[in-house]
Amino acid sequence: MASDLLLELKAIDRRYDEGMRKLTILDGADFTLRRGETVALVAPSGAGKSTLLHTAGLLEWPDGGDVILDGRACGRLSDDERTAIRRNDIGFVYQFHHLLPEFSALENIMMPQLVCGLPQTQARERALQLLDYMKIGERAEHRPAELSGGEQQRVAIARAVANAPLLLLADEPTGNLDPDTASYVFEALEALVRQSGLSALIATHNHDLAARMDRRVTLDHGKIVEF
């Protein structure tokens, strides 16, 4: 029987060289995320939110401790194994959409599916379904430059979940949008996460948006604590 826990961070240390000294960002940080749970990470700039997300998402190696995803300890995996987990099991959304400018919204969402070997017909069908779900189906053939900021971010969210990941990590996904657009985009993100049964860890400065999630945590001297 599968554990109720999807993600576990166990005693994570993360330090960076800063001149002649070490800058400690995470110091024995512990965290758990249950299946289907959404957690807001609320902390000031420079506190280590991005470092935490990058470590949880296997983009950075911790200096100590381990990341366990879906019961699998990832600390001693090879680069290829970690890349495969990121591709198949983890979706990322950033403050800036990072869409490929030469491709349409539809093609941007198809891309990760094609990389994973899904036939083009199926990838296109799922991409169209996601665009419709995000209420921008009529913008499928538009390139990023032809979309508004909110539309671009909704495409980025659809792309992040195109491969049906287990975990969604979002780093200030509405931080570059005006308040009304941010609220609309977050509603779409929240609905998609709930409907898909995803587990999500979402970093945000917006306390109103954070309050809509199941839990809130913050970073305090390198530790993850309940908000």
Side-chain angles (χ1 to χ4, degrees), residues 85-127:
I85 291 173
R86 287 196 304 270
R87 183 175 60 238
N88 297 318
D89 296 333
I90 305 174
F92 295 92
V93 182
Y94 299 97
Q95 180 173 350
F96 299 100
H97 55 78
H98 298 299
L99 298 175
L100 299 173
E102 66 272 27
F103 294 104
S104 68
L106 178 66
E107 291 166 336
N108 267 278
I109 301 170
M110 290 175 62
M111 198 70 65
Q113 302 177 76
L114 297 174
V115 169
C116 283
L118 197 69
Q120 185 169 346
T121 302
Q122 293 181 33
R124 178 182 176 85
E125 181 180 356
R126 175 159 173 78

Side-chain angles (χ1 to χ4, degrees), residues 32-104:
T32 59
L33 181 66
R34 295 189 299 274
R35 296 178 190 275
E37 183 180 36
T38 60
V39 174
L41 173 60
V42 184
S45 296
K49 296 191 301 296
S50 294
T51 296
L52 173 60
L53 291 171
H54 290 171
T55 304
L58 309 184
L59 290 168
E60 294 186 21
W61 292 87
D63 297 302
D66 204 355
V67 178
I68 300 173
L69 179 63
D70 197 26
R72 187 179 188 186
C74 300
R76 296 186 179 182
L77 298 180
S78 68
D79 285 336
D80 286 346
E81 289 172 318
R82 288 164 65 93
T83 297
I85 291 173
R86 287 196 304 270
R87 183 175 60 238
N88 297 318
D89 296 333
I90 305 174
F92 295 92
V93 182
Y94 299 97
Q95 180 173 350
F96 299 100
H97 55 78
H98 298 299
L99 298 175
L100 299 173
E102 66 272 27
F103 294 104
S104 68

Side-chain angles (χ1 to χ4, degrees), residues 17 21 36 58 72 79 108 127 132 134 164 178:
D17 290 323
R21 68 188 185 96
L58 309 184
R72 187 179 188 186
D79 285 336
N108 267 278
D132 285 340
M134 300 300 286
D178 65 80

Side-chain angles (χ1 to χ4, degrees), residues 113-154:
Q113 302 177 76
L114 297 174
V115 169
C116 283
L118 197 69
Q120 185 169 346
T121 302
Q122 293 181 33
R124 178 182 176 85
E125 181 180 356
R126 175 159 173 78
L128 287 170
Q129 289 174 346
L130 287 168
L131 284 167
D132 285 340
Y133 193 89
M134 300 300 286
K135 299 181 180 179
I136 47 173
E138 75 282 359
R139 310 290 275 168
E141 300 300 335
H142 290 69
R143 294 186 180 184
E146 301 171 310
L147 303 174
S148 69
E151 289 170 338
Q152 290 172 353
Q153 198 64 326
R154 279 182 277 167

